[in-house]
Amino acid sequence: MNWGSWALWSFVATTVLTTLMAGSQELGLTRMSLPYMLGTVITTDRDRARLLGIGIHFVNGWLFGLLYAAAFQAWGAAGWLRGAAIGAVHAAFVLVVVMVALPGMHPRMAGMGAGPTAVRPLEPPGFMALHYGPRTPLSVFVAHLIYGAILGAFYVRR
């Protein structure tokens, strides 16, 4: 494993992914804010939640980058296409499994069978995060493809 390459390119890829997702939200393509959702696990303060969520999202990006780098090492090669392929699987897992399971893990997110309350004010994302808008799956999928393509293109194996 090339630790320096992993650390650098996981950071760059996470920066791009986070920027694409935030841009998608600001452009009205989705209502979903992953940093906000992650941060509200820890705090109810909206501003602090976004800041903490960005930190959590970067740690997650580095950790997932380890899985990508391990796959490149196991395959004996990296490459943008291999990275994008892992990104597609990653996005599918996030959209189909994580988003559906999130209400059961998040202390401030309403469940699928009950609306938001004072204690659980966040709307659940639902299957493929469609509760946050019909273009949400596309923005998540594209951002993860690009994340993987960056890691695959620039990660240097040892």
Side-chain angles (χ1 to χ4, degrees), residues 15 18 29 57 59-60 72 79 90 94 104 109 129:
T15 300
T18 305
L29 299 174
H57 197 244
V59 169
N60 286 345
F72 300 145
H90 185 177
V94 166
M109 185 172 283

Side-chain angles (χ1 to χ4, degrees), residues 67-90 148 151-152 155 157-158:
L67 296 175
Y68 284 65
F72 300 145
Q73 291 294 137
W75 288 334
W80 72 269
L81 194 54
R82 291 174 192 248
I86 300 171
V89 172
H90 185 177
L151 274 170
Y155 176 77
R157 290 183 333 104
R158 281 222 167 129

Side-chain angles (χ1 to χ4, degrees), residues 15-89:
T15 300
V16 171
L17 180 141
T18 305
T19 302
L20 288 171
M21 292 299 299
S24 293
Q25 184 186 19
E26 292 301 319
L27 290 171
L29 299 174
T30 180
R31 293 184 305 109
M32 185 172 71
S33 169
L34 281 174
Y36 181 70
M37 285 178 13
L38 292 169
T40 54
V41 169
I42 298 170
T43 182
T44 58
D45 182 283
R46 294 178 69 85
D47 294 327
R48 181 164 283 135
R50 284 187 182 91
L51 182 61
L52 289 170
I54 289 169
I56 293 167
H57 197 244
F58 271 88
V59 169
N60 286 345
W62 265 315
L63 294 174
F64 276 102
L66 274 175
L67 296 175
Y68 284 65
F72 300 145
Q73 291 294 137
W75 288 334
W80 72 269
L81 194 54
R82 291 174 192 248
I86 300 171
V89 172

